[in-house]
Amino acid sequence: MAKRTIVSMPGDGIGRVVLEETIKVLEAAGFVADYVEGDIGWEFWCKEGNPLPERTIKLLEEHKIGLFGAITSKPKDEAFAELAPELKDKNLVYSSPIVGLRQYFGLDICTRPCKSYIGNPLNFIRRGPNNTIEEPAVDVVIFRQNTEGLYGGVEWTNPPTQVHDALMTHPKFRQNFGATPKEEVSISTRIFTKKATGRILRAAFEHARSYGYKSVTVCEKPNVIRETSGMMYKMAQQIQKEEYPEIQLWNTNIDAQMMWLTKNPEDYGVIVAGNMFGDIVSDGFAGLIGGLGFACSAQSNPDSGVAVFEPTHGSAPKYADYKVSIVNPIAMIESACMMLDYIDEKNIAAKIRKSVAEVISEGKVRTYDMLKMTGRPDVVEKGAASTQEMAQAIIDKMNS
Ligand code: NAI
Ligand code: MG
């Protein structure tokens, strides 16, 4: 097979260091690839007025597979203030390049696995019978619709007259909001389409089948949000019946799910939800397995094959300039393992995951978050592993 080319997009802040260390791990595991660097992030906003330059889009169009670190986003006014002087009169408005990537490539399938590692001191524990302590083994994969719903961007404050007039034809709007002046109304829409809903549901069922999960849970709120959540659940029932009869279909409400999260997280397998509820439920589960240092994700478009793999965390600017980097690279390394699965290098992914698991369970090398320290430059002197030491420990384990 031809050698692969991976588009590496380090972005800002700690994105750079975690991606650099991850590539070392990939190389040590025997993954043979070329890396081309894609410019993305704050630096390119400031210098060029575009945090997602066209040349980066071209690279992804050509090579399809991207590894992304993290970017920094800042509010509108700050973004404008940092723009190069010669660009200030060009009416440029900052928008997040990772959202831009999702939209441009239609990366509608977001996958966020949350699997606890044995021996991770950050694992969720709960009280069991007779005052015992239980540590449930969490192994959940969240499928989040990534392009529609409440994050679809269709929203207004003081909506245009046609929009307001159209809404006034809905009896509930007339009754509940009709007396409020238009200028005092803000609206964010939650649009679901059958096509995208079917795609995320099928991706979830397919994953359950391929990886042996016994259930798919639709986590929405169909009893209240009847149209969008209702459509998703109805479609799930039909898809399950006709295409995946061997997999159980469960239905939970997002609010109740957040409560059950800590009661019986080990009962869930694959969870599927719309954009916002998927975001919420995946952060909830990530908290049970160690938080941001462990939360990985994939965003893909199965039609075009374009896929971008990234940790859930951001650029953590407060740690970005430490002389010795202290952040945990595991979320990025795990994201790279998802990439390996996606491009059918499952053996290499398994090898890396095995080393990560061994390093964690041995407990000799732990980053500051795993030691429950407050992130400060002196954590390394106090016994925490640096980013590089953690990556090196994983590499050493692979070679041992
Ligand atoms: P963040 O995820 O960057 O950091 C929050 C806190 O989590 C950090 O202060 C640190 O204590 C901890 N943390 C994050 N990553 C860690 C790691 N690998 N190991 C150990 N601890 C870790 O989120 P925050 O502070 O809200 O945002 C910072 C910047 O990142 C903002 O500009 C924001 O817009 C951006 N951001 C970018 C994302 C992306 O690129 N996909 C996602 C989230 C935020
Ligand atoms: Mg989030």
Side-chain angles (χ1 to χ4, degrees):
M1 210 177 92
K3 198 171 172 191
R4 281 214 173 254
T5 301
I6 306 293
V7 182
S8 76
M9 294 171 283
D12 302 308
I14 64 164
R16 302 204 77 86
V17 60
V18 293
L19 185 49
E20 190 179 317
E21 292 306 310
T22 296
I23 291 174
K24 288 185 198 160
V25 173
L26 286 168
E27 282 172 350
F31 177 57
V32 182
D34 289 325
Y35 296 88
V36 284
E37 187 162 325
D39 296 337
I40 193 167
W42 199 250
E43 184 189 336
F44 303 97
W45 160 255
C46 298
K47 282 200 309 212
E48 302 174 23
N50 183 3
L52 178 59
E54 192 59 34
R55 56 188 181 276
T56 304
I57 292 195
K58 288 250 156 61
L59 282 177
L60 267 171
E61 264 166 357
E62 186 181 347
H63 303 296
K64 310 253 190 258
I65 303 293
L67 274 177
F68 170 74
I71 48 94
T72 297
S73 285
K74 295 185 192 177
K76 223 166 121 188
D77 297 347
E78 271 176 69
F80 184 76
E82 291 187 39
L83 199 54
E86 68 275 16
L87 296 172
K88 284 215 157 102
D89 58 355
K90 297 209 185 311
N91 273 327
L92 298 168
V93 181
Y94 177 83
S95 69
S96 158
I98 187 68
V99 175
L101 270 185
R102 267 178 216 159
Q103 282 163 354
Y104 185 86
F105 288 103
L107 304 175
D108 62 329
I109 311 292
C110 174
T111 315
R112 292 182 169 179
C114 295
K115 186 171 177 176
S116 48
Y117 280 108
I118 294 168
N120 185 352
L122 299 176
N123 283 345
F124 168 69
I125 53 172
R126 73 180 165 218
R127 210 178 284 283
N130 305 318
N131 245 352
T132 50
I133 296 292
E134 298 174 335
E135 189 175 317
V138 177
D139 181 3
V140 166
V141 186
I142 290 109
F143 280 78
R144 163 190 175 194
Q145 206 296 325
N146 214 24
T147 47
E148 301 192 334
L150 203 48
Y151 299 174
V154 183
E155 42 185 14
W156 304 268
T157 291
N158 186 12
T161 306
Q162 311 94 296
V163 173
H164 192 261
D165 288 350
L167 286 166
M168 284 295 264
T169 66
H170 195 292
K172 287 257 170 65
F173 187 88
R174 223 170 30 242
Q175 185 191 323
N176 296 331
F177 309 104
T180 307
K182 191 168 83 68
E183 306 74 54
E184 290 180 25
V185 175
S186 288
I187 300 169
S188 301
T189 63
R190 187 178 200 261
I191 301 171
F192 281 32
T193 63
K194 277 200 164 160
K195 185 173 173 205
T197 305
R199 280 163 67 90
I200 194 71
L201 287 168
R202 285 197 176 81
F205 277 110
E206 204 51 46
H207 190 87
R209 176 176 282 167
S210 309
Y211 290 88
Y213 290 92
K214 68 176 195 300
S215 66
V216 168
T217 302
V218 175
C219 178
E220 279 283 322
K221 185 102 182 168
N223 55 334
V224 178
I225 316 176
R226 290 172 189 275
E227 301 305 327
T228 44
S229 295
M231 179 175 84
M232 182 177 257
Y233 185 53
K234 260 189 246 131
M235 287 179 71
Q237 284 175 303
Q238 194 180 358
I239 290 171
Q240 186 268 344
K241 198 166 141 217
E242 291 170 7
E243 300 169 43
Y244 300 91
E246 83 280 13
I247 292 162
Q248 297 171 32
L249 172 65
W250 298 354
N251 175 28
T252 60
N253 286 339
I254 176 70
D255 48 345
Q257 180 70 73
M258 296 314 283
M259 181 184 63
W260 289 330
L261 199 73
T262 51
K263 285 189 107 164
N264 60 340
E266 69 272 44
D267 291 349
Y268 298 94
V270 172
I271 294 184
V272 59
N275 207 336
M276 185 198 201
F277 294 163
D279 197 12
I280 293 173
V281 77
S282 60
D283 272 17
F285 272 98
L288 304 180
I289 60 132
L292 287 173
F294 294 86
C296 55
S297 80
Q299 316 188 72
S300 64
N301 177 339
D303 291 342
S304 65
V306 174
V308 175
F309 301 84
E310 57 157 328
T312 304
H313 64 72
S315 60
K318 64 181 177 194
Y319 303 146
D321 299 325
Y322 280 21
K323 230 191 277 151
V324 177
S325 172
I326 64 165
V327 294
N328 191 344
I330 291 178
M332 182 81 237
I333 293 169
E334 281 289 332
S335 304
C337 289
M338 294 184 78
M339 173 192 80
L340 293 171
D341 284 342
Y342 188 84
I343 60 177
D344 224 10
E345 295 281 8
K346 294 197 174 66
N347 291 340
I348 303 179
K351 186 167 152 187
I352 297 174
R353 288 192 181 108
K354 183 167 172 276
S355 303
V356 172
E358 285 170 11
V359 169
I360 293 173
S361 71
E362 247 176 43
K364 285 193 222 139
V365 180
R366 284 179 172 166
T367 43
Y368 84 95
D369 53 325
M370 300 175 75
L371 295 169
K372 304 183 191 194
M373 291 174 163
T374 302
R376 288 213 313 241
D378 63 357
V379 294
V380 175
E381 282 155 47
K382 292 184 171 152
S386 67
T387 309
Q388 281 85 357
E389 283 166 344
M390 176 54 94
Q392 192 57 47
I394 292 165
I395 292 171
D396 292 345
K397 219 8 120 195
M398 254 175 333
N399 295 335
S400 71

